[in-house]
Amino acid sequence: MLALHGTGVGAGIAVGRARIINRTSDKITQYPIAQEHVQKEIERLEKGIETAQHSLFELGKQFGKEVPEEVRALLEAHSLMLKDPLILQESSRLISEQWINAEFALNQYGTRLERVFEQIQDPYLSSKSVDVAQVIQRVLGAMTDSQEAIGGQPEGTYDGEIIIVNDLTPADTIELRKHRIIGFVTKLGGPTSHTAILARSMKIPAIVGMHGSVGYLRTGDLLIIDGKRGVILASPDNRALAAYQRRREKIIRRTQALETLRDAESVSLDGQRIMLMSNVELPDEVSYSVKQNAEGVGLYRTEFMFMNREQMPDEEEQVEVYKQVLEKSDCPVTIRTLDLGADKQVDGGRSADNQSTNPALGLRGIRLCLHDLGLFKPQLRAIYRASIFGRARMMVPMISNVEELDQLFRLIDEVKQELAEQNYPFDSELQVGGMIEVPAAAIAADIFARKLDFLSIGTNDLIQYTLAIDRIDDEVNYLYDPIHPSILRLIKNVIDAGLDAGVPVSMCGEMAGDPAYTRILLALGLREFSMDPAGLLEIKQIIRRSDVSQLKLSLPKFMSATEPEKLRQQLVELNR
Amino acid sequence: MIEAEVPVVNKLGLHARAASKLVKLTAGFESSIKLIRKNQEVDAKSIMGILMLAATQGTQIRVITDGPDERDAMDAISEMFEQCFGEDE
């Protein structure tokens, strides 16, 4: 038995056989060819490129009309690269100079190209080496007619298997939806990679960022993967297998038991109504949110539409997507304006000139938007234009300064006036709220509460900024503590400021979806939670078993505790 | 054969978006078209070649067109550079 660790994504446990999918280039062999066969090899290469172009075209067709924009842009970029005369010319030159087979020549040239791209100073252009690699892969796959290429496998080939792969491309993730895969393991990638997004949307566990240790896994190995803990057990012994099977069954039973709460009201024992909303990223996820009986979308992230593509979505495209999202739900949908920067870099070249050493404190969120009206104004117009298709609200991220709000409101007035002149209908009463995630805004929440229609606490950034720790830095993330007294005080301050101003306060950070903190948040007075819809029923269960007025009584003791150990102890007691 | 120097004036330089526009344009000409920056010479019909130039704002690029429609090609290319590839700045 072998235990390996990575970054866990998605809840749950999967038990199944491993299937390693090697990229074609891992097994390219070199063989010499006779000089008189040079021409034939070159023709084979031409044919391979043609087949690859065709397969790319077919892939595009499979999506039909519903090609996600980022996939479309990617397909187009790849198809331009396939048409690039350089690939054919340079590989042909290698074939005729070195008398080697076409696959090897292509692979050799591809590696060289990748290296050239990697050496480009500009980080954006340099990242194109990935696309180069993928395009070369596609041609190699077409030439070797590889059985192991991800694409083109009959539906159901990988049913019941755990897929192990270096990394998934957006195109792969679409192909893989055709199979009933039970889990993923990848060498590369983090919690926001395509693999992670795919795993979450397929509701299966994944372990990403395994690095070298994927090398220990073999096709056919029995694996246990635990998405919650980020653990893989390979060839487990009977005891481990039995234990995990029990845990897996327990999780399934619990999930089934929670299902019965789907239609139950989200009310505490003492009759307090608590609003449960969901965080979504893709229009599809709104349907899931509706299915979970969420009372709305507390956070619809719009970044996804802007990432992994060459060209920014224009106003029309955005209107279309927001309309889709709004029409899927009868409940309020909170559209958050672009929150790019820091860990979420945008393509289209915009990230290239932003090389701040401290991006989390740099030009991001509303700052970036107000700085780049060419990016922001079409989004505002699109949100207002789409507002008539459902119950939209708008929320701006990263506010730290009242002047930003004044600027925003002037811009909104401008947009409304323009839309009215152009005869576009829109909801002129659209609610505008702000994310409270910068300590400055949390401390002075009363000022912001007076200017906005609602507040939403973004705990991930609030905690990171307040405690001055980078969550993705392995060496300091042990300091990440949602119940640090400073955080509890800030949250309380925001909730109280909202109450005083008569403005609703919700929370959309990870803390809101973590069952360990539900009760302390209830005690602090939080009444609106927004989270990953997959965890919604569990939080509802806790709420239904909690007496809010009782919880409130224990709050003073909590707020005055000074020892972290004691605080943790109190939290355990609170959750009992 | 015609030669001309064109400056990259758009803010993002010859990024993927500009490069794909350029490739789509050059593909329509019969003439061979080369871009030269310092000692690096690339085929203007190759998107990867153009990207490898990594030409940022302010870079001077020498364009050489050679063939039956070399004049039209040069005019169209210079215009595209001047117009910042249709980008805002």
Side-chain angles (χ1 to χ4, degrees):
Chain A
M1 185 167 81
L2 181 67
L4 303 170
H5 294 261
T7 306
V9 175
I13 288 168
V15 180
R17 297 276 165 198
R19 161 82 74 141
I20 298 177
I21 301 182
N22 279 318
R23 294 307 181 161
T24 322
S25 68
D26 299 343
K27 22 168 221 158
I28 290 301
T29 48
Q30 173 180 17
Y31 53 89
I33 54 164
Q35 195 184 1
E36 61 262 36
H37 289 150
V38 163
Q39 199 45 44
K40 227 180 83 196
E41 271 316 284
I42 294 178
E43 278 161 23
R44 241 167 40 81
L45 180 64
E46 280 172 353
K47 187 109 197 309
I49 294 176
E50 231 169 80
T51 316
Q53 271 167 346
H54 186 71
S55 77
L56 202 60
F57 178 72
E58 287 294 313
L59 184 63
K61 263 197 346 205
Q62 272 179 26
F63 297 129
K65 269 188 164 171
E66 289 171 29
V67 193
E69 185 49 38
E70 72 279 5
V71 176
R72 198 193 57 76
L74 191 101
L75 291 178
E76 194 187 306
H78 283 195
S79 123
L80 271 180
M81 287 188 173
L82 276 174
K83 288 190 194 121
D84 196 315
L86 256 187
I87 295 184
L88 184 62
Q89 277 164 18
E90 291 299 303
S91 309
S92 304
R93 202 173 50 80
L94 288 174
I95 295 173
S96 46
E97 280 175 11
Q98 302 180 9
W99 303 356
I100 51 175
N101 63 318
E103 290 91 343
F104 187 66
L106 180 63
N107 196 37
Q108 206 178 324
Y109 178 60
T111 314
R112 202 182 299 167
L113 253 186
E114 274 175 61
R115 220 168 289 146
V116 171
F117 271 91
E118 278 162 14
Q119 278 161 4
I120 296 177
Q121 291 286 317
D122 181 327
Y124 168 75
L125 283 178
S126 161
S127 72
K128 293 282 142 196
S129 70
V130 177
D131 295 273
V132 173
Q134 287 171 359
V135 166
I136 300 285
Q137 278 310 328
R138 191 166 280 280
V139 181
L140 286 172
M143 291 179 70
T144 48
D145 193 24
S146 162
Q147 285 304 302
E148 294 203 280
I150 286 180
Q153 296 294 331
E155 215 170 304
T157 309
Y158 303 132
D159 280 8
E161 293 181 328
I162 295 172
I163 299 294
I164 299 169
V165 68
N166 271 354
D167 198 11
L168 294 175
T169 66
D172 291 337
T173 62
I174 309 258
E175 297 251 6
L176 286 173
R177 283 175 201 271
K178 296 190 296 195
H179 310 277
R180 294 183 55 185
I181 290 157
I182 60 167
F184 292 109
V185 175
T186 66
K187 187 170 175 181
L188 307 173
T192 55
S193 60
H194 287 293
T195 313
I197 292 169
L198 178 70
R200 275 198 296 266
S201 80
M202 289 174 79
K203 314 269 173 272
I204 58 175
I207 315 285
V208 299
M210 294 292 297
H211 303 292
S213 53
V214 281
Y216 293 111
L217 304 174
R218 297 276 170 269
T219 290
D221 280 355
L222 185 62
L223 298 186
I224 297 174
I225 68 173
D226 181 343
K228 195 166 179 181
R229 297 183 186 165
V231 174
I232 301 177
L233 294 178
S235 312
D237 55 35
N238 286 339
R239 240 183 74 211
L241 194 59
Y244 266 96
Q245 288 285 19
R246 271 199 305 277
R247 262 192 63 202
R248 187 170 157 264
E249 278 156 24
K250 208 170 129 193
I251 292 174
I252 293 171
R253 269 202 310 278
R254 254 212 7 241
T255 318
Q256 282 167 350
L258 285 173
E259 291 295 309
T260 60
L261 289 178
R262 197 184 293 282
D263 298 320
E265 267 197 294
S266 169
V267 179
S268 68
L269 287 174
D270 56 334
Q272 297 258 20
R273 289 235 351 112
I274 307 296
M275 196 167 173
L276 296 180
M277 298 179 287
S278 54
N279 297 347
V280 302
E281 201 149 30
L282 305 170
D284 277 354
E285 291 172 335
V286 182
S287 319
Y288 180 60
S289 156
V290 171
K291 198 175 139 235
Q292 293 290 78
N293 258 337
E295 288 174 82
V297 172
L299 169 63
Y300 162 45
R301 304 184 181 94
T302 54
E303 294 80 59
F304 198 73
M305 207 190 325
F306 288 77
M307 295 165 85
N308 304 309
R309 55 187 287 173
E310 307 292 346
Q311 206 154 346
M312 293 299 115
D314 61 9
E315 181 180 323
E316 295 306 320
E317 188 189 332
Q318 291 187 56
V319 172
E320 201 42 51
V321 175
Y322 301 150
K323 177 176 172 227
Q324 268 182 44
V325 168
L326 287 163
E327 282 180 340
K328 281 184 201 254
S329 172
D330 299 330
C331 300
V333 174
T334 313
I335 304 175
R336 181 176 70 184
T337 59
L338 265 178
D339 188 13
L340 291 168
D343 57 334
K344 282 167 289 194
Q345 292 295 353
V346 64
D347 276 2
R350 282 172 206 273
S351 61
D353 31 19
N354 175 12
Q355 296 219 39
S356 153
T357 50
N358 218 338
L361 304 182
L363 191 61
R364 50 168 300 200
I366 187 68
R367 302 170 183 177
L368 175 71
C369 286
L370 291 173
H371 179 82
D372 190 346
L373 294 183
L375 183 71
F376 192 37
K377 215 171 150 190
Q379 179 170 45
L380 286 181
R381 285 178 53 100
I383 293 173
Y384 271 92
R385 282 178 56 191
S387 63
I388 53 165
F389 298 108
R391 295 171 61 190
R393 308 200 296 174
M394 182 164 79
M395 174 162 85
V396 288
M398 269 294 281
I399 45 170
S400 60
N401 193 308
V402 168
E403 274 157 359
E404 287 166 344
L405 288 184
D406 294 341
Q407 227 178 320
L408 173 74
F409 289 130
R410 272 200 303 277
L411 203 58
I412 288 176
D413 285 341
E414 201 180 300
V415 162
K416 283 178 169 176
Q417 201 180 341
E418 280 174 21
L419 291 177
E421 279 162 14
Q422 293 157 353
N423 289 322
Y424 283 117
F426 61 90
D427 173 7
S428 61
E429 301 294 302
L430 182 81
Q431 288 199 355
V432 179
M435 294 253 317
I436 304 295
E437 49 190 337
V438 177
I443 293 166
D446 55 324
I447 302 176
F448 293 92
R450 282 196 291 270
K451 297 225 167 209
L452 291 161
D453 296 320
F454 61 93
L455 304 179
S456 184
I457 307 175
T459 49
N460 303 6
D461 276 334
L462 184 62
I463 296 170
Q464 150 160 310
Y465 289 137
T466 307
L467 304 182
I469 44 146
D470 186 347
R471 250 205 335 166
I472 45 182
D473 183 336
D474 292 344
E475 291 179 309
V476 293
N477 65 10
Y478 71 96
L479 289 168
Y480 189 87
D481 179 15
I483 57 164
H484 189 288
S486 63
I487 304 298
L488 296 181
R489 289 179 201 180
L490 285 179
I491 293 172
K492 183 159 191 308
N493 194 49
V494 179
I495 294 172
D496 291 349
L499 272 179
D500 285 346
V503 163
V505 175
S506 61
M507 178 179 286
C508 61
E510 264 166 44
M511 197 175 173
D514 190 331
Y517 306 122
T518 310
R519 283 190 166 166
I520 179 68
L521 291 172
L522 288 171
L524 285 164
L526 190 71
R527 295 294 174 268
E528 296 183 14
F529 294 64
S530 189
M531 67 200 79
D532 177 350
L536 199 135
L537 297 178
E538 190 176 358
I539 304 295
K540 192 192 271 185
Q541 185 180 45
I542 298 177
I543 290 168
R544 291 174 57 86
R545 290 174 180 173
S546 301
D547 183 329
V548 177
S549 43
Q550 274 293 303
L551 289 175
K552 285 206 144 176
L553 292 179
S554 61
L555 190 63
K557 208 173 80 185
F558 229 97
M559 298 304 279
S560 59
T562 51
E563 299 303 315
E565 193 40 54
K566 203 160 167 221
L567 257 172
R568 260 171 246 138
Q569 190 52 42
Q570 284 179 8
L571 187 68
V572 171
E573 278 164 28
L574 198 68
N575 287 339
R576 202 161 273 161
Chain B
M1 189 178 81
I2 317 178
E3 271 194 58
E5 287 268 335
V6 294
V8 177
V9 282
N10 60 316
K11 194 170 155 200
L12 299 175
L14 279 183
H15 261 264
R17 186 174 157 194
S20 28
K21 278 199 174 165
L22 188 57
V23 171
K24 283 181 195 154
L25 177 75
T26 54
F29 293 102
E30 210 182 305
S31 302
S32 87
I33 305 170
K34 301 257 175 261
L35 303 182
I36 303 172
R37 179 198 171 201
K38 289 184 193 148
N39 303 323
Q40 204 180 354
E41 179 187 304
V42 301
D43 182 350
K45 296 180 181 180
S46 152
I47 184 159
M48 291 192 280
I50 297 173
L51 288 176
M52 281 191 286
L53 281 183
T56 48
Q57 190 179 24
T59 315
Q60 284 287 335
I61 301 231
R62 198 141 54 91
V63 184
I64 301 179
T65 58
D66 187 9
D69 48 6
E70 54 189 33
R71 173 47 59 196
D72 290 345
M74 183 61 83
D75 290 346
I77 293 167
S78 321
E79 193 188 325
M80 187 172 264
F81 271 81
E82 273 163 32
Q83 314 240 316
C84 300
F85 302 90
E87 287 163 18
D88 294 341
E89 41 192 325

